[in-house]
Amino acid sequence: MWITADAISPWRCGNSNLLIVDKASRAALLAGVEQGDPGPLRNTPTAHRTDVSLGSVVSERAAGWFRKWAVEGDTATLRTNSVSVIAKLPGQENADLVVKVLENDPKVRRLVVASEISRLTQLDWTVALQGADDPTTIPEPRKLAPKLAKGAVDPKGTEARWACTYLLSRMVPVLGR
């Protein structure tokens, strides 16, 4: 049983439809992942709560596929989704892999940073992508900065900590305005 486009929740973040799973669809998705088939993870961005849900029950075999796809996935969406799940897993090795991908894959970095902007501000996806490209253009930077500071030290999710730190460091020129 695979998750089809019809099973994808209509919940939206900005202009982006996000994959949200319930317990049954999560099990089906992970069954495919364990066989090396990413299914909708290849082209459908996941919601933060989907990443947390997957990370909370992922088997070591599935985690291995996520690690492989984070580096070698054939789409930026698959690599980004994989990084987001790995970031919810414990261990220094997982954290190191997330950081390595974010520092070396500009497409994944852009999507992760835009997702963090969108999640924290509820800005339109187009504006979030622009902010990922140039953090000094993010509307109301002083309003966002405290949320980024909190996210930079949150122990839940390496990619969010990395993205918050990345954004804060690049917003320095506009935070005094």
Side-chain angles (χ1 to χ4, degrees), residues 24-25 39 50 54 66 78 83 85 101 118 126 138 158 174-175:
S25 59
T50 297
L54 292 171
F66 283 121
L78 176 57
V83 160
V85 172
V101 172
S118 181
T126 304
I138 298 170
T158 306
V174 296
L175 288 176

Side-chain angles (χ1 to χ4, degrees), residues 116-169:
E116 198 65 19
I117 293 167
S118 181
R119 185 176 73 81
L120 293 174
T121 65
Q122 301 302 302
L123 288 170
D124 180 79
W125 184 244
T126 304
V127 176
L129 285 170
Q130 181 182 353
D133 293 335
D134 181 0
T136 65
T137 66
I138 298 170
E140 301 185 68
R142 293 189 71 188
K143 187 175 177 182
L144 176 58
K147 294 177 183 179
L148 293 172
K150 183 178 178 184
V153 296
D154 187 344
K156 299 176 186 171
T158 306
E159 96 282 17
R161 282 193 308 276
W162 190 94
C164 288
T165 303
Y166 175 90
L167 285 165
L168 273 173
S169 68

Side-chain angles (χ1 to χ4, degrees), residues 62-102:
W65 281 107
F66 283 121
R67 287 183 198 101
K68 179 178 175 64
W69 295 331
V71 176
E72 300 174 12
D74 62 349
T75 67
T77 301
L78 176 57
R79 294 190 309 276
T80 302
N81 288 339
S82 297
V83 160
S84 294
V85 172
I86 294 165
K88 309 308 182 276
L89 301 178
Q92 189 64 46
E93 182 180 328
N94 291 318
D96 289 345
L97 178 60
V98 169
V99 170
K100 177 182 172 188
V101 172
L102 289 171

